[in-house]
Amino acid sequence: MSINAELARLFSEMAAVMELTGANPFKTAAMNKAARQLKDLTFDIASIAADKKRLMEIDGIGEGMAGRIMEFKQTGRIREHDELIASIPPGLLQVTRIPGVGPKTAKLLWEKCGVVDLVTLKEKIDCGALVGIPRMGEKTIANILKSLEFVEKSSERTRIGIAMPLAESIVEHLAAMNGVERVQYAGSLRRGCETIGDLDIVACSTNPGALAEAFATMAMVEQVLTKGETKVSVRIHQGMQVDLRIVPLESFGAALLYFTGSKEHNVALRERAIKRGMTLNEYGLFPDDYERRQRRRTPPPSEGGSQGVGTTEISSGDSPTPQPSPSRERVKSAAIASKTEEEIYRALELPFIPPELRENRGEFASEIPKLIEFDDIKAELHAHTRASDGKFTIEELAAEAKKRGFHTIAVTDHSKSSALAGGLSPDGLRAHIEAVRKASERAEGITILAGSEVDILPDGSLDYDDELLAQLDIVIASPHAGLKHDPDRATARMLRAVRHPLVHIIGHPTGRLIGSREGINPRMDEVIAAAVEHDVALEINANYRRLDLRDTHVRAAVEAGAKIAINCDSHTVTDFDNLRYGIMTARRGWLPPHLCINTWSNAKLMKWLKSKR
DNA sequence: GCCGTTTTCGGCCCGACTGTTTTCAGTCG
């Protein structure tokens, strides 16, 4: 694999250890940012690792990071990383992954009672060794124990196709309550990320208390983690944490913006607000006056001060009682913008930025293009029938596609090497082509294409000979086996398939399965360049277990002007429903509709397909 | 450690909640 992922891992680890040992938090943040940038790169950093100037052109990579990257390229390690890792017990970082235990607590537990990993933590709790340590009260210890048990049994992040239906059912449940004015999911789910950590729900209600109670007592709730006036967190039986934030109706847009994130996008938005003399929080965009001055412990503005917003009671002189959230109190009178995301972006002199782009990956610097939408898709070009491993007959498949409003469906069963998936022998494929042609003649209102999802063999050749491939209307070439090849071999293999004159689409180009199989790591910039040169489309396989191409690959492909196909790889009726995840991934890759062959008219699509025959 | 409509120094986002505190630190998102 390319060194990007390894370098990203090293930088993340360094940042984590630095947090633990109490380094400058801004230095830690810089380290984390560099790790993230490296992870998102679509070319191999090794190719420029000898050139410090080019390294430093990457946002977040400065003098220091460039030096570390060069050191790694030359020596295969980063000395500073080795030293940091050696400075703490090897299992201590695991301890900071327990919800509620941060770097400060982990360090405290290590120094005060010898906790060095999850095992010793459990032992020390069981034998009562934590009692008496500063800030380690009975409740804190009980919470750590509970979280520890949760960490031990739960898997990490949840795939979007699992998280989305859960979120939708929660939203539906809450929306049906009396007094609920708005309710919507936010967070990484709304941004269309491939996996989701926690679910975030934003809601407005005329009866916030009842809403909080209803949320905390849903049937799926396993444990209530926190329950305050505006924020409730629960853990559900499915293993996820769900956070509900209740805000005033006037603040819905600001809250939705804030809780949709990403964190990096929010930070950039706030910096932008400050530069324009404003401050942004989850209640709205405000003139930069009262709150910031108060935080700096300087006196609040005098009566009739320059801002002239003294219409609320927040600064009621010498009242010793703590005030509930000045921002929330001020919303009605003082917010420059708060009701909708659109008006907040406008006030910050920005166009509306779609949630999928909110990653601080250039959305502030660039013009926002028109992104592809669900309704733009007019064809499914990758589907299986009973001839291989699908559940449809050809007619049933066509009927389903027609029902979904498509003008074209491609029948693309597996080729002979995919034996477990019932791949067709050459004679089997010939007979199948005949059957598809006959069905197509009878079909009304939909074009049925005879195709194949043909295996890209380990050497990059295809699973059928050219004479047979030439008879097909559409050829998808996909890797199914040999998914552990090194990058050199994987790149050569994929390039050979891209250059094959009869191939239209490269299916799920890396063969990854999210959370369970890494797949191959061909040098994607080379594959993309070849795809552009040979006029081959790269697939976003919309199955939520794949999402392959992934978002960053799509972005690189779009920048290179490559054609993209978004296909559901349908084997059953419900597979068609995965299209939404493919669309979200495409949007995260900044895909405009015209580059996606599934949006084209039937005539345009047929012309392109025939250009390769 | 990075970065620049605050440009080579001096900033670097903001609020809610919990548990332990007697005024706030730590964590999270």
Side-chain angles (χ1 to χ4, degrees):
Chain A
M1 67 194 246
S2 76
I3 66 171
N4 301 9
E6 178 64 4
L7 265 170
R9 189 182 67 80
L10 294 182
F11 281 178
S12 294
E13 272 188 14
M14 286 163 73
V17 178
M18 283 157 58
E19 265 191 329
L20 238 155
T21 52
N24 176 353
F26 298 112
K27 190 173 164 179
T28 310
M31 199 67 85
N32 271 322
K33 182 177 181 183
R36 182 168 177 268
Q37 293 294 84
L38 284 168
K39 192 167 135 287
D40 289 346
L41 281 185
T42 47
F43 62 90
D44 190 348
I45 191 98
S47 64
I48 61 166
D51 186 343
K52 186 175 244 188
K53 213 172 130 221
R54 285 192 64 194
L55 286 174
M56 288 175 66
E57 281 168 12
I58 301 168
D59 185 38
I61 307 293
E63 185 90 32
M65 299 298 178
R68 292 180 177 92
I69 293 168
M70 296 172 85
E71 183 191 350
F72 182 77
K73 178 69 186 353
Q74 283 164 12
T75 68
R77 53 197 323 126
I78 299 174
R79 211 184 60 185
E80 188 187 0
H81 173 266
D82 295 346
E83 289 167 3
L84 281 166
I85 288 294
S87 70
I88 61 160
L92 199 57
L93 286 181
Q94 284 294 332
V95 176
T96 65
R97 302 217 171 97
I98 298 169
V101 179
K104 296 271 167 53
T105 308
K107 190 172 182 225
L108 184 75
L109 292 174
W110 170 37
E111 289 175 346
K112 295 282 180 189
C113 70
V115 168
V116 292
D117 54 24
L118 295 179
V119 175
T120 49
L121 174 61
K122 184 86 173 14
E123 287 168 7
K124 299 290 179 183
I125 293 174
D126 288 345
C127 74
L130 268 55
V131 179
I133 292 177
R135 305 197 66 81
M136 281 293 139
E138 199 180 325
K139 277 191 172 175
T140 301
I141 295 172
N143 283 340
I144 291 176
L145 185 59
K146 242 181 190 171
S147 293
L148 182 60
E149 284 162 359
F150 174 73
V151 165
E152 282 170 346
K153 73 172 185 189
S154 77
S155 60
E156 308 239 319
R157 292 174 67 85
T158 306
R159 289 172 296 196
I160 189 171
I162 304 293
M164 183 68 86
L166 282 172
E168 287 176 339
S169 74
I170 294 170
V171 165
E172 194 181 333
H173 176 75
L174 298 180
M177 287 198 55
N178 281 335
V180 172
E181 297 158 314
R182 299 295 303 266
V183 53
Q184 189 170 339
Y185 60 80
S188 51
L189 182 64
R190 183 163 176 247
R191 301 202 310 281
C193 296
E194 61 194 36
T195 60
I196 313 300
D198 301 335
L199 293 179
D200 296 290
I201 316 276
V202 181
C204 309
S205 172
T206 55
N207 190 348
L211 178 59
E213 185 60 26
F215 177 74
T217 55
M218 290 185 302
M220 67 173 74
V221 171
E222 181 178 297
Q223 185 193 352
V224 178
L225 299 170
T226 69
K227 188 158 177 282
E229 195 184 332
T230 65
K231 176 183 171 178
V232 187
S233 294
V234 300
R235 201 169 276 154
I236 58 177
H237 293 302
Q238 291 82 354
M240 299 188 82
Q241 182 175 325
V242 190
D243 297 333
L244 173 69
R245 306 293 298 234
I246 306 172
V247 297
L249 189 57
E250 297 79 22
S251 295
F252 184 72
L256 190 59
L257 179 65
Y258 184 81
F259 293 109
T260 295
S262 65
K263 191 165 179 271
E264 290 79 9
H265 181 84
N266 285 348
V267 168
L269 274 184
R270 286 173 180 207
E271 285 171 356
R272 194 178 175 94
I274 288 167
K275 280 179 186 154
R276 284 164 177 71
M278 298 178 271
T279 179
L280 178 64
N281 59 34
E282 61 260 55
Y283 298 107
L285 183 65
F286 301 92
D288 181 8
D289 58 349
Y290 183 80
E291 289 90 354
R292 288 181 70 80
R293 271 205 276 281
Q294 192 183 49
R295 273 200 302 282
R296 293 181 194 126
R297 302 254 182 272
T298 54
S302 60
E303 221 61 52
S306 60
Q307 295 295 337
V309 289
T311 49
T312 61
E313 290 108 357
I314 43 162
S315 56
S316 53
D318 49 7
S319 165
T321 52
Q323 297 294 337
S325 174
S327 297
R328 214 188 319 160
E329 297 298 306
R330 292 180 69 217
V331 168
K332 282 179 187 164
S333 59
I336 296 163
S338 67
K339 290 185 187 68
T340 66
E341 290 183 329
E342 285 82 355
E343 69 174 33
I344 295 169
Y345 280 115
R346 206 179 307 130
L348 291 170
E349 298 170 70
L350 286 166
F352 178 77
I353 298 175
E356 295 92 340
L357 303 193
R358 299 180 192 171
E359 299 289 345
N360 198 14
R361 291 181 190 154
E363 68 269 27
F364 299 106
S366 319
E367 203 155 298
I368 304 295
K370 179 178 163 28
L371 299 180
I372 192 165
E373 293 174 19
F374 186 87
D375 289 340
D376 291 333
I377 300 295
K378 300 296 179 205
E380 165 67 29
L381 300 175
H382 183 170
H384 298 267
T385 68
R386 291 182 198 171
S388 61
D389 60 349
K391 297 280 183 274
F392 299 102
T393 63
I394 297 167
E395 288 77 12
E396 285 165 351
L397 178 63
E400 187 61 34
K402 192 174 164 185
K403 197 173 106 190
R404 307 240 170 188
F406 297 156
H407 59 59
T408 300
I409 177 78
V411 177
T412 56
D413 281 297
H414 287 284
S415 63
K416 63 178 192 291
S417 290
S418 282
L420 285 175
L424 293 165
S425 67
D427 281 343
L429 178 58
R430 287 190 187 94
H432 195 43
I433 293 172
E434 273 309 299
V436 172
R437 301 265 186 252
K438 278 186 185 149
S440 185
E441 280 167 23
R442 290 192 299 269
E444 285 181 14
I446 187 148
T447 301
I448 310 176
L449 299 177
S452 171
E453 183 187 18
V454 54
D455 272 34
I456 304 173
L457 301 175
D459 66 353
S461 64
L462 300 186
D463 203 15
Y464 294 125
D465 62 34
D466 289 0
E467 180 271 325
L468 183 50
L469 292 174
Q471 293 180 38
L472 296 164
D473 302 319
I474 182 167
V475 171
I476 302 174
S478 307
H480 285 110
L483 296 176
K484 289 185 174 169
H485 289 173
D486 62 56
D488 285 341
R489 196 171 169 197
T491 305
R493 177 185 184 189
M494 298 311 283
L495 286 178
R496 186 169 171 195
V498 170
R499 290 170 183 149
H500 193 293
L502 296 168
V503 169
H504 295 97
I505 299 172
I506 300 293
H508 49 72
T510 74
R512 72 153 174 179
L513 292 177
I514 295 171
S516 62
R517 182 171 76 200
E518 190 185 346
I520 48 175
N521 279 296
R523 287 186 292 277
M524 206 48 83
D525 52 338
E526 292 179 36
V527 174
I528 289 166
V532 173
E533 185 188 342
H534 296 276
D535 199 22
V536 166
L538 299 173
E539 180 183 79
I540 298 172
N541 191 295
N543 187 311
Y544 69 81
R545 296 172 191 85
R546 291 188 181 272
L547 295 174
D548 178 19
L549 300 175
R550 71 190 67 186
D551 52 5
T552 51
H553 294 156
V554 178
R555 179 84 181 272
V558 167
E559 281 172 1
K563 292 184 175 66
I564 297 288
I566 305 177
N567 292 321
C568 291
D569 194 353
S570 295
H571 292 71
T572 67
V573 171
T574 51
D575 285 345
F576 277 93
D577 297 331
N578 285 322
L579 179 58
R580 58 194 307 199
Y581 309 122
I583 294 290
M584 290 177 113
T585 299
R587 288 168 64 87
R588 289 179 61 77
W590 296 55
L591 181 68
H594 71 271
L595 283 179
C596 176
I597 63 174
N598 308 68
T599 70
W600 293 354
S601 69
N602 182 272
K604 184 175 178 183
L605 180 62
M606 294 309 142
K607 193 178 165 201
W608 179 69
L609 292 173
K610 282 182 180 143
S611 73
K612 291 191 164 260
R613 286 293 168 271

